[in-house]
């Protein structure tokens, strides 16, 4: 079940702009729609919508959050195994393995594009090592 | 064609006057064409539902696909027409064949017409991801390329790490398949369930690294770096020993499938999707992954490569063999990568030397110091991890000269370009590794072909007039470098050799076929079947001949399949070496188990190095159940492996292959026997091995053809 847009939508286009998979379409000032097969349930549309017009996958109404208050992933290096899963999980390429280890030659992840992060938390949920947390 | 293979609906892309696709729209196709009666009835039932009900049905299908590790769809691209068709794959097909090479084997068996030209429009080239890829399971980031091999004429596949495997699934597909031939060079751009063929005329002629750099630059507009597979000049020039590259030169090198890509004028595939990959029980997957990672992350003992070198010397001299344990794989892979066994393998007789004629007496530890694992790791600037790998056996090495860095050469590359050609110049190995990766030429086949050419020259069959002035002597580094550059460019003698040893021997004649060591046309890897007859067997009997990544008796020891499948025989901790050469039922059971198991591994997208740590440590079957929500026991997965093995063999039979002809060349079987070294006096009775292996699978023991009973038993149809 994907996210859905209700009739409260005013067609401002904020959700369409932020959607990382291009799942949202619609004309300006008209109700937008989410393509089920492209929705990855990242929740960005729900957080950005000023009109509370987005329902999550369980049918709950999403409440908007100021973008500056969106959580960001923080890494615990002692748990990380450099497996690159977080880098691949990020739908916007915000994470990259670019930090060379202090006492080994393995590379570790870092949030290289914090301005693009949509707080989806996929890096956290996909990390098998629980090395990331959203703060 | 099977009842699962037709789409109920499809996505078709419009084409512009030049045949390049510019936009996509959904079209409805005749949903009943080519579909079996049962499916037809079920489709009639579905289409009679109201729009609301069909939407619910669609949602349920989507949810089911999202939660089982696979995406439930493939993309089929017709390069002749410039069309991209999306096809749904029913759940049953995954239960029968998993994903990866299993699913691909079913599709290619059904759809490539009998005896199709591997370089013609009817051949299908596929890029497939694994069932476990992207689900939180570890060491499951392998992508596979499949097609009818132009090198052997058989089922062809090649397997590679890197980062491309999850990228296929993140576009919404388990595989991307190509048929037809484009008029102009093109590349395929795939987004989230959209696809577009784009002009690649300006990329044609560029090497794999340059191509990747340009395509990343051109397609980086969405933030996330696209993942790319491409061919270099070797594939473009349809060299039959060319492969396909990703991540700046990591190669899916075997089976000559780079030539198929070149023949289709397909320069690259760019995957830029960012969809989610589901798992039925992600918590359980992560629980299993954490346990496995704990094992991997244990501190590595600080041992030097000298210890392994001496271990190899001792093992080579002893008349007994010790069963290998996977914990050693962890230490070697974590510390050195595959190069860790470079010198050890030479000394124990695992590495063929001097075109299968030599031994450590010819290329001893002083010469093999050129590929000393400690020296190679010192050159390593950083470790390289494939997707979902906690080990990081790869590396980026600094080099001198034209290129500043190269992927750390693998064991196969090191030995094919050094001991096999008697070359002890370290620097040349880095250089040759990089130029072959960039050109997209298989380092194993390239090294083997150079060694063959040197032997021809040394025996006077080739002269300086034939070699464009090259003094092709054993260990002549400069001549080896020049020859490989000529092979990449297909210039002069390079053109004769660019299709591998068998084709070269056919052109050269004068009895040179005796020195061209191959299995069905493919050069075997740097593992000697005279040392471990399991390699000789799998080189000869597999539907893809000449492959070292399927089985050997050493692999059986490392995989420890008996720990999860009690019906399989345990190995003794110590055995006599002589016992390995007797063809026993137990050995055949072991070999068949490996063939079946590797099909499960390749269907899952797992790394061979991962399973080499032992399946009591890497939970392959448990991950499969947690990801898919199935509750199959290991025997059921092994049955799937058997089905895949049989359909691949049936593929070969359909294409007119005589399995007995795939037998590895006599020299690699110990005919004549070596006069010195660890493999002195060893020979393998391969004909008996092959017959017994075929018989075990329910294939005809004389011809290797799967019987009707076997095909029916495995639900493959007769």
């Amino acid at each position: 079940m994907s996210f859905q847009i209700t009739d409260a939508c005013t067609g401002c286009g904020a959700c369409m702009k932020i959607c990382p998979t291009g799942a949202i379409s619609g004309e300006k000032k008209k109700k937008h729609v989410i393509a089920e097969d492209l929705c990855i349930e990242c929740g960005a549309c729900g957080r950005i919508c000023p009109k509370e017009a987005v329902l999550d996958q369980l049918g709950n109404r999403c409440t908007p959050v100021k973008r500056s208050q969106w959580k960001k992933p923080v890494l615990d290096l002692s748990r990380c195994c450099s497996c690159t899963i977080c880098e691949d999980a990020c739908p916007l390429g915000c994470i990259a393995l670019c930090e060379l280890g202090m006492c080994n030659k393995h590379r570790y992840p870092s949030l290289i594009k914090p301005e693009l992060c949509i707080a989806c938390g996929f890096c956290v949920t996909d990390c098998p090592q629980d090395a990331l947390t959203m703060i | 064609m099977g009842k699962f293979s037709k789409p109920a609906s499809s996505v078709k892309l419009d084409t512009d006057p030049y045949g390049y696709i510019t936009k996509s729209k959904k079209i409805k196709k005749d949903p009943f064409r080519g579909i079996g009666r049962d499916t037809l009835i079920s489709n009639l039932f579905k289409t009679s539902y109201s729009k609301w009900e069909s939407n619910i049905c669609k949602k349920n299908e989507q949810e089911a696909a999202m939660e089982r590790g696979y995406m439930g769809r493939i993309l089929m691209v017709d390069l002749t027409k410039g069309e991209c068709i999306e096809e749904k794959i029913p759940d049953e097909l995954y239960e029968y064949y998993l994903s990866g090479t299993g699913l691909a084997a079913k599709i290619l068996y059904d759809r490539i017409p009998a005896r199709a030209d591997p370089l013609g429009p009817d051949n299908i080239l596929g890029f497939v991801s694994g069932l476990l890829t992207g689900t939180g399971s570890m060491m499951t980031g392998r992508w596979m390329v499949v097609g009818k091999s132009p090198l052997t004429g058989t089922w062809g596949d090649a397997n590679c790490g890197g980062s491309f495997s999850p990228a296929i699934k993140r576009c919404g597909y388990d595989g991307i398949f190509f048929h037809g031939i484009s008029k102009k060079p093109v590349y395929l751009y795939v987004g989230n369930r959209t696809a577009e063929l784009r002009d690649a005329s300006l990329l044609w002629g560029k090497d794999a690294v340059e191509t990747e750099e340009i395509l990343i630059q051109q397609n980086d507009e969405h933030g996330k770096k696209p993942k790319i597979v491409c061919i270099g000049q070797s594939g473009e020039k349809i060299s039959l020993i060319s492969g396909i590259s990703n991540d700046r030169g990591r190669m899916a090198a075997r089976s000559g499938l780079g030539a198929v890509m070149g023949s289709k004028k397909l320069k690259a595939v760019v995957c830029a999707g960012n969809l989610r990959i589901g798992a039925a029980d992600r918590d359980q997957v992560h629980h299993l992954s954490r346990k496995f990672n704990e094992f991997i992350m244990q501190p590595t003992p600080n041992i030097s490569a000298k210890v392994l070198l001496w271990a190899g010397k001792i093992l080579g001299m002893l008349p007994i063999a010790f069963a290998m344990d996977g914990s050693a794989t962890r230490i070697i892979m974590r510390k050195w990568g595959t190069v860790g066994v470079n010198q050890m393998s030479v000394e124990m007789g695992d590495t063929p030397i001097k075109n299968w004629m030599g031994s450590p007496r010819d290329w001893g530890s002083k010469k093999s110091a050129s590929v000393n694992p400690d020296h190679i790791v010192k050159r390593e600037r950083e470790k390289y991890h494939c997707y979902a790998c906690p080990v990081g056996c790869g590396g980026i090495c600094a080099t001198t000269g034209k290129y500043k860095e190269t992927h750390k050469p693998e064991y196969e590359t090191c030995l094919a370009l050094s001991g096999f050609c008697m070359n002890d110049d370290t620097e040349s190995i880095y250089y040759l590794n990089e130029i072959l990766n960039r050109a997209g030429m298989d380092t194993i086949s390239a090294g083997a072909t150079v060694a063959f050419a040197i032997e021809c020259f040394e025996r006077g069959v080739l002269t300086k007039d034939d070699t464009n002035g090259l003094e092709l002597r054993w260990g002549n580094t400069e001549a080896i470098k020049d020859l490989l550059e000529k092979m990449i460019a297909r210039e002069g003698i390079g053109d004769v050799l660019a299709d591998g040893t068998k084709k070269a021997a056919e052109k050269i004649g004068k009895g040179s076929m005796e020195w061209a060591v191959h299995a069905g046309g493919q050069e075997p890897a740097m593992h000697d079947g005279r040392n471990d007859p399991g390699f000789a067997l799998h080189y000869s009997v597999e539907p893809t001949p000449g492959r070292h990544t399927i089985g050997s008796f050493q692999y059986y020891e490392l995989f420890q399949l008996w720990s999860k499948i009690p019906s399989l025989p345990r190995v003794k901790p110590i055995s006599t070496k002589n016992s390995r050469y007797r063809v026993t039922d137990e050995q055949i059971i072991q070999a068949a188990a490996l063939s079946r198991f590797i099909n499960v591994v390749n269907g899952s997208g797992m790394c061979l190095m991962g399973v080499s740590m032992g399946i009591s440590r890497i939970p392959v079957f448990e991950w499969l159940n947690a990801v898919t929500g199935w509750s199959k026991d290991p025997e059921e997965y092994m049955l799937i492996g058997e089905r895949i093995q049989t359909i691949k063999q049936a593929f070969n039979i359909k294409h007119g292959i005589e399995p007995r002809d795939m037998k590895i060349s006599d020299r690699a079987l110990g005919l004549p026997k070596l006069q010195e070294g660890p493999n002195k006096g060893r020979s393998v009775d391969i004909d008996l091995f092959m017959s017994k292996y075929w018989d075990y699978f329910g294939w005809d023991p004389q011809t290797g053809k799967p019987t009707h009973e076997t095909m029916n038993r495995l639900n493959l149809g007769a």
Side-chain angles (χ1 to χ4, degrees):
Chain A
M1 189 85 175
S2 75
F3 277 48
Q4 286 177 345
I5 297 176
T6 67
D7 291 341
C9 172
T10 57
C12 71
C15 57
M16 192 162 76
K17 209 171 155 191
I18 202 162
C19 176
T21 62
I24 303 176
S25 57
E27 288 177 36
K28 219 172 179 184
K29 294 187 180 173
K30 284 187 180 170
K31 187 189 162 188
H32 283 37
V33 287
I34 300 177
E36 285 171 26
D37 52 354
L38 296 182
C39 175
I40 55 171
E41 298 170 8
C42 64
C45 51
R47 280 187 291 279
I48 203 88
C49 177
K51 301 290 176 190
E52 297 189 19
V54 179
L55 303 180
D56 70 12
Q57 69 271 36
L58 301 171
N60 302 319
R61 190 174 297 277
C62 301
T63 46
V65 182
K66 246 181 140 180
R67 185 134 194 202
S68 58
Q69 291 169 3
W70 288 10
K71 291 180 177 177
K72 302 239 180 313
V74 177
L75 176 76
D76 176 0
L77 267 183
S78 65
R79 285 168 174 263
C80 180
C81 63
S82 307
C83 69
T84 79
I85 284 179
C86 55
E87 183 183 49
D88 190 73
C90 177
L92 286 156
C94 302
I95 296 178
L97 268 78
C98 53
E99 303 289 337
L100 205 53
M102 297 288 277
C103 27
N104 60 40
K105 291 179 185 170
H106 297 275
R107 282 198 175 270
Y108 292 92
S110 166
L111 188 65
I112 54 159
K113 296 176 191 166
E115 72 283 2
L116 289 182
C117 177
I118 54 168
C120 62
F122 290 156
C123 50
V124 176
T125 51
D126 284 10
C127 174
Q129 289 294 94
D130 291 337
L132 290 148
T133 33
M134 295 296 281
I135 293 174
Chain B
M1 194 172 284
K3 68 176 182 177
F4 302 124
S5 52
K6 282 284 174 182
S9 65
S10 59
V11 176
K12 190 179 177 181
L13 305 175
D14 286 345
T15 55
D16 69 11
Y18 301 103
Y20 303 124
I21 290 148
T22 51
K23 62 175 184 176
S24 68
K25 66 173 183 182
K26 288 198 174 184
I27 60 152
K28 190 83 179 168
K29 270 200 138 188
D30 174 8
F32 308 136
R33 188 160 58 90
I35 299 179
R37 190 176 166 274
D38 292 347
T39 318
L40 180 64
I41 291 167
S42 111
N43 275 351
L44 281 169
F45 185 68
K46 273 183 198 165
T47 47
S48 68
Y49 269 58
S50 68
K51 194 182 170 189
W52 177 83
E53 283 165 325
S54 64
N55 276 345
I56 294 292
C57 180
K58 192 181 161 195
K59 266 184 205 170
N60 289 341
E61 274 176 29
Q62 185 201 343
E63 280 168 17
M66 285 296 285
E67 288 171 2
R68 282 176 157 75
Y70 49 81
M71 309 308 285
R73 290 181 180 83
I74 58 164
L75 186 68
M76 189 63 74
V77 181
D78 183 338
L79 288 163
T80 306
K81 292 183 187 166
E83 272 182 4
C84 302
I85 310 275
E86 184 182 288
E87 295 183 23
K88 278 185 182 171
I89 304 292
D91 291 344
E92 298 93 310
L93 213 54
Y94 293 97
E95 291 213 38
Y96 264 51
Y97 297 97
L98 304 178
S99 190
T101 47
L103 175 67
K106 168 68 179 160
I107 291 168
L108 268 58
Y109 175 71
D110 281 347
R111 302 190 191 191
I112 300 180
R115 295 171 191 262
D117 176 6
L119 300 173
D122 289 333
N123 195 6
I124 298 177
L125 181 74
F127 296 87
V128 283
S129 183
L131 183 50
L132 290 178
T133 302
T135 59
S137 49
M138 310 310 294
M139 301 190 83
T140 49
R142 307 290 292 185
W143 57 276
M144 290 135 281
V145 56
V146 295
K148 181 174 176 182
S149 166
L151 188 61
T152 59
T154 63
W155 166 263
D157 61 38
N159 182 303
C160 185
S163 57
F164 190 67
S165 189
I168 299 172
K169 286 172 99 168
R170 291 203 186 279
C171 293
Y173 304 111
D174 292 308
I176 302 168
F177 295 84
F178 297 87
H179 63 102
I181 289 180
S182 174
K183 281 179 197 159
K184 286 181 173 184
V186 288
Y187 75 88
L188 183 77
Y189 175 89
V190 195
N192 292 330
R193 293 188 61 199
T194 57
E196 192 177 312
L197 281 166
R198 293 178 178 172
D199 187 7
S201 302
L202 295 175
L203 295 170
W204 208 251
K206 303 243 180 262
D207 71 37
V209 175
E210 287 170 337
T211 303
E212 201 174 316
E213 281 170 356
I214 293 168
L215 286 173
I216 286 176
Q217 216 173 11
Q218 283 178 357
N219 296 291
D220 202 12
E221 69 266 31
H222 303 302
K224 189 165 182 169
K225 258 190 192 174
K227 304 297 179 193
I228 291 155
V229 287
C230 60
I231 49 170
Q233 303 93 323
S234 180
E236 289 175 12
K237 291 177 190 292
I238 316 193
S239 155
L240 300 188
I241 54 171
S242 55
I244 298 164
S245 157
N246 91 133
D247 271 11
R248 302 176 67 90
R250 284 192 79 84
M251 298 284 295
R254 308 250 64 198
S255 303
L257 294 171
V260 178
M261 198 160 163
S263 74
K264 294 191 176 303
K265 294 263 187 334
L266 177 67
K267 179 68 179 173
V269 181
V270 179
C271 284
N274 53 7
L275 297 178
R276 294 283 289 160
I277 304 163
D281 187 351
R282 196 176 280 273
D283 288 343
Q284 173 65 3
V285 176
H286 280 181
H287 170 72
L288 295 164
S289 296
R290 271 194 296 276
K291 210 172 153 196
F292 174 67
N293 287 349
E294 268 174 34
F295 164 70
I296 295 294
M297 306 282 278
Q298 290 171 55
T300 308
N302 192 19
I303 50 171
S304 110
K306 267 189 185 169
V307 176
L308 295 183
L309 171 70
W310 280 99
K313 278 182 189 280
I314 294 164
L315 289 171
M317 285 187 287
L318 290 175
I320 54 168
F322 298 95
M324 301 274 203
D325 184 80
S327 55
T329 314
R330 180 192 76 85
I331 296 165
I332 292 169
M333 286 301 125
R334 192 108 170 112
K335 188 172 168 72
W336 294 287
T338 56
V339 294
V341 295
N342 278 1
Q343 288 183 285
M344 178 178 156
S345 291
V346 172
E347 294 299 330
M348 66 191 274
D350 179 42
T351 310
I353 302 291
K354 204 178 179 184
N355 199 25
W356 301 85
M357 288 191 298
S359 75
R361 294 269 178 90
D362 303 292
W363 211 68
S365 52
K366 275 189 186 165
K367 290 199 169 179
S368 71
S370 57
V371 288
N372 180 317
D374 283 341
H375 297 171
I376 292 174
V377 166
K378 263 187 197 162
R379 297 277 290 262
E380 202 175 49
R381 193 182 287 162
E382 62 184 78
K383 293 274 184 193
Y384 173 91
H385 289 247
C386 295
Y387 172 74
C389 178
V391 177
C393 73
I396 307 296
C397 289
T399 60
T400 53
K402 193 176 170 189
Y403 302 111
K404 297 289 169 239
E405 60 179 34
T406 184
H407 272 286
K408 182 168 66 184
E410 301 290 346
Y411 160 81
E412 303 293 339
T413 306
C414 285
L415 273 301
L417 298 172
S418 62
F420 209 63
C421 305
M422 303 293 284
N423 170 31
D424 57 3
D425 181 281
T426 311
E427 212 53 51
S428 69
I429 293 162
Y430 293 99
Y431 173 73
L432 294 174
N433 182 52
E434 184 61 11
I435 64 163
L436 289 168
N437 285 350
R438 282 174 174 261
M441 189 177 269
D442 177 7
T443 51
I444 297 173
S445 289
T449 310
V450 169
F452 161 77
I454 293 174
E455 187 170 349
C456 287
F457 189 89
E458 294 273 7
R459 288 178 184 271
V461 167
L462 287 178
T463 64
K464 267 183 152 182
D465 290 340
D466 302 314
T467 61
N468 312 102
L470 294 179
E471 188 78 27
L472 280 179
R473 299 282 174 200
W474 293 115
N476 183 349
T477 307
E478 287 311 310
I480 292 169
K481 278 158 79 170
D482 288 349
L483 182 61
L484 281 166
E485 282 167 359
K486 284 185 190 302
M487 281 167 65
I488 291 166
R490 290 201 86 128
E491 283 173 6
I493 182 70
D495 187 41
V496 177
L497 300 169
D499 295 327
T501 53
K502 187 186 171 199
K503 288 273 188 294
E506 283 169 0
K507 288 176 196 165
I508 294 167
K510 301 176 188 171
S512 61
M513 191 60 87
E514 198 183 326
W515 319 314
V517 176
H518 64 91
Q522 177 149 253
E523 297 71 19
M526 296 298 111
H527 296 282
D528 199 326
R530 293 167 297 191
N531 183 59
D532 181 338
F535 277 117
L537 172 66
H538 287 279
Y539 286 147
S540 304
V541 292
E542 291 295 334
T544 324
R547 297 290 298 280
H548 66 289
T549 50
I550 299 167
S552 71
F553 296 135
Q554 190 191 75
Y555 287 1
Y556 188 79
E557 293 163 7
L558 291 170
F559 294 176
Q560 299 175 351
L561 295 175
W562 61 84
S563 67
K564 294 286 165 69
I565 307 164
S567 60
L568 290 175
R570 282 175 175 271
V571 292
K572 292 175 192 156
I574 301 173
S575 59
T576 61
K577 281 185 182 169
N578 285 342
S579 66
R580 292 179 168 195
Y581 300 83
R582 291 183 209 116
V583 185
T584 63
D585 289 346
E586 191 170 296
Q587 281 179 324
I588 298 302
I589 292 169
Q590 291 180 10
L594 288 169
S595 297
R596 292 187 292 160
F597 178 65
I598 286 296
N599 283 316
V600 176
V601 167
N602 288 340
S604 310
M606 291 205 75
C607 174
L608 183 71
M609 294 305 142
V611 291
S612 294
M613 293 176 199
I615 63 164
S616 57
R617 300 183 181 100
I618 187 160
V620 184
F621 302 120
E622 293 85 343
W623 268 329
L624 279 167
N625 281 342
V627 163
T628 57
W630 302 333
S631 46
K632 293 184 191 297
D633 61 38
E635 290 281 10
E636 287 175 273
Y637 283 111
M638 293 294 269
L639 182 67
I640 295 173
E642 187 174 343
R643 181 177 295 118
I644 299 167
Q645 184 77 351
T646 303
I647 201 170
K648 289 197 290 194
Q649 186 77 348
F651 176 97
N652 286 355
I653 304 302
K654 177 179 170 181
H655 290 273
I657 296 294
E658 287 295 335
R660 190 71 69 178
D661 297 344
M662 301 296 110
K663 189 170 74 172
I664 192 171
S665 305
D666 284 350
R667 183 184 276 187
L669 292 167
L671 301 168
K673 290 174 181 169
L674 284 178
Q675 297 304 311
E676 56 184 14
N679 301 326
K680 179 184 172 184
R682 301 284 185 201
S683 64
V684 185
D685 183 0
I686 198 68
D687 287 307
L688 186 58
F689 259 130
M690 289 171 84
S691 294
K692 280 187 166 262
Y693 175 94
W694 290 334
D695 194 31
Y696 185 86
F697 267 97
W699 306 346
D700 187 299
Q702 300 310 315
T703 63
K705 294 177 183 173
T707 62
H708 288 281
E709 293 76 28
T710 303
M711 294 291 276
N712 286 331
R713 178 173 60 82
L714 297 168
N715 299 91
L716 292 169

